[in-house]
Amino acid sequence: MTAAAPIDFWFDFASPYGYLMAEKIDALAERHGRAVRWRPVLLFAVLRALSLPAPLESAVKRDYMLRDFDRSARHLGVAFRLPEGFPAPTQHLARGFYLVDAVDPVAARRFALAAMRAYFTEGAAIGDMANVARWMSAQRPSLGDETACLEALRGAEAKALLAQAVDEAVRQRVFGSPFVVVDGEPFFGVDRLPQIAAWLEGTLGPP
Amino acid sequence: MTAAAPIDFWFDFASPYGYLMAEKIDALAERHGRAVRWRPVLLFAVLRALSLPAPLESAVKRDYMLRDFDRSARHLGVAFRLPEGFPAPTQHLARGFYLVDAVDPVAARRFALAAMRAYFTEGAAIGDMANVARWMSAQRPSLGDETACLEALRGAEAKALLAQAVDEAVRQRVFGSPFVVVDGEPFFGVDRLPQIAAWLEGTLGPP
């Protein structure tokens, strides 16, 4: 461990590139003795606040990206299958994450990665509130059973925690997913992994 | 040499990521016995035809990209300094390229790379028609002196050649710079270099 600030990893749970980064960032950071703070947001809300269009709005780019998701997953050696009904709404999952994270960040990480793997390899219904509640309870039983977790997901704390994260993302101009910030240096996209590695090694920057 | 079709390298002369790709793509292709066809276009015209916004339109993304240009150049070991008055208009340079290319593709390549290096390391005025004419004449003296090249740059052939390239780019949905197409597989961005390499090695695709 080190006294350095954690690396911020911003993402949306329905973002394929975000999922690919989720499979890679912790191991990379750990090799450099750095911790990672996972910060899911609702990308559409952040983009709207920044007056930016949604990434899949243009059909031309969408066609390319659907091909590139798959190719990038193969390139990184990560299992991937575009889910039916992509992209799913992610507010319940993100709220669930912050509720788990508030009591147990390690369980929250497991919860997040398990949900993304289920979504991006088996098409699990991550938009479904009952599923989210069940996964919360399974990862962190002290939160109570599925019913208790459902109630928590509907509560004010869940909404406030996610709203806070979205506000902070807007302030930090998180204009896409994944968006990784290392000591103030922003890296957008899973294709910046080699640059993040070089940055952590000290061979790339600061300028 | 091989019977495989050449790799298409689409770019705009004022695109920093296009310049970084220009410094890398030929050597990569050559290692795999492949030729590269350089195809400069006016990106704003292609994007307009595809109903897409210009890449630097948003201030939020622009700030990030200005930082990322520099960082990506360091990462790839390429000299780079953002020119004054970036981005420069590139229609004269692109027309000059196609005029040289029509008689001598090797000289056209030299002409293109020299112009981009002059622009992206010394801030040379690549938008200036007289400069373009002088560079054409220097790279391919049989085209005549600067005055003759100036006349050619103003002529119908120059306009037609570039218009043809822009039309073809629109048909192929070239929505950014650089945009590399290998046997029908599209790769957008200089950050796709590792994937292009893997594709050429046969370790990545086709799916």
Side-chain angles (χ1 to χ4, degrees):
Chain A
M1 292 307 290
T2 162
I7 292 167
D8 277 328
F9 164 40
W10 299 96
F11 65 100
D12 186 295
F13 274 112
S15 158
Y17 298 128
Y19 159 61
L20 298 180
M21 183 63 88
E23 290 282 5
K24 298 293 174 182
I25 189 67
D26 280 0
L28 173 59
E30 202 177 326
R31 285 200 291 279
H32 297 277
R34 299 289 296 262
V36 181
R37 185 162 43 167
W38 288 36
R39 311 191 81 175
V41 290
L42 305 179
L43 186 58
F44 82 89
V46 178
L47 293 178
R48 195 174 44 194
L50 294 172
S51 304
L52 290 170
L56 294 169
E57 218 163 74
S58 140
V60 170
K61 288 196 185 182
R62 186 184 161 91
D63 288 352
Y64 173 82
M65 282 171 83
L66 291 180
R67 179 193 287 249
D68 189 64
F69 292 158
D70 203 71
R71 193 176 62 201
S72 295
R74 294 201 306 280
H75 185 62
L76 292 168
V78 174
F80 176 83
R81 199 186 67 197
L82 193 76
E84 301 268 325
F86 167 84
T90 58
Q91 73 272 25
H92 301 311
L93 190 53
R95 286 176 187 149
F97 172 89
Y98 285 111
L99 288 172
V100 181
D101 192 55
V103 295
D104 185 344
V106 174
R109 190 80 46 104
R110 274 200 317 267
F111 166 85
L113 200 51
M116 277 190 278
R117 284 177 179 164
Y119 180 54
F120 285 114
T121 66
E122 302 156 23
I126 58 167
D128 187 280
M129 208 179 196
N131 281 346
V132 173
R134 199 165 53 252
W135 299 334
M136 288 170 66
S137 180
Q139 289 291 355
R140 178 70 196 191
S142 75
L143 289 169
D145 64 6
E146 183 182 329
T147 308
C149 286
L150 259 179
E151 199 169 327
L153 281 173
R154 290 196 187 95
E157 188 197 356
K159 280 178 187 146
L161 287 171
L162 177 55
Q164 219 166 45
V166 168
D167 286 352
E168 175 67 15
V170 172
R171 268 195 302 277
Q172 292 207 28
R173 303 169 133 213
V174 171
F175 61 78
S177 167
F179 199 94
V180 171
V181 183
V182 186
D183 306 328
E185 183 75 7
F187 297 88
F188 166 54
V190 69
D191 40 36
R192 287 295 175 276
L193 268 171
Q195 290 194 22
I196 297 172
W199 188 273
L200 289 169
E201 281 153 19
T203 58
L204 183 55
Chain B
M1 293 306 290
T2 165
I7 293 167
D8 277 328
F9 164 40
W10 299 96
F11 65 100
D12 187 296
F13 274 111
S15 157
Y17 297 128
Y19 159 62
L20 298 180
M21 182 63 89
E23 291 281 6
K24 298 292 174 185
I25 189 66
D26 281 358
L28 173 59
E30 202 177 328
R31 284 199 292 279
H32 297 276
R34 298 290 294 263
V36 182
R37 186 162 41 167
W38 287 36
R39 312 190 80 175
V41 290
L42 305 179
L43 186 60
F44 81 90
V46 179
L47 293 178
R48 195 173 46 193
L50 294 172
S51 304
L52 291 170
L56 295 169
E57 218 164 73
S58 138
V60 170
K61 289 197 182 180
R62 187 185 161 89
D63 287 353
Y64 173 82
M65 282 172 83
L66 292 179
R67 180 192 286 247
D68 189 63
F69 291 158
D70 202 71
R71 193 176 62 201
S72 295
R74 293 200 307 278
H75 185 61
L76 291 168
V78 175
F80 175 83
R81 200 187 66 199
L82 192 76
E84 301 268 325
F86 168 84
T90 58
Q91 73 271 26
H92 301 311
L93 190 53
R95 286 178 186 148
F97 172 88
Y98 284 111
L99 288 173
V100 180
D101 192 54
V103 294
D104 184 345
V106 174
R109 190 79 47 105
R110 273 201 317 266
F111 166 85
L113 200 51
M116 276 190 279
R117 284 177 179 165
Y119 181 54
F120 285 114
T121 66
E122 303 156 22
I126 59 167
D128 186 281
M129 208 179 197
N131 282 347
V132 172
R134 200 166 51 251
W135 297 335
M136 289 170 66
S137 180
Q139 290 290 354
R140 179 70 195 190
S142 76
L143 290 170
D145 63 5
E146 183 182 328
T147 309
C149 287
L150 259 179
E151 200 170 327
L153 281 173
R154 290 197 188 94
E157 189 197 355
K159 280 179 188 145
L161 287 171
L162 177 55
Q164 219 166 42
V166 167
D167 287 352
E168 176 67 16
V170 172
R171 269 193 302 277
Q172 292 207 27
R173 302 169 132 214
V174 171
F175 61 77
S177 167
F179 200 94
V180 171
V181 183
V182 185
D183 306 326
E185 182 77 7
F187 296 88
F188 166 53
V190 69
D191 39 37
R192 287 296 173 277
L193 267 171
Q195 290 194 22
I196 297 171
W199 188 273
L200 289 170
E201 280 153 21
T203 58
L204 183 55

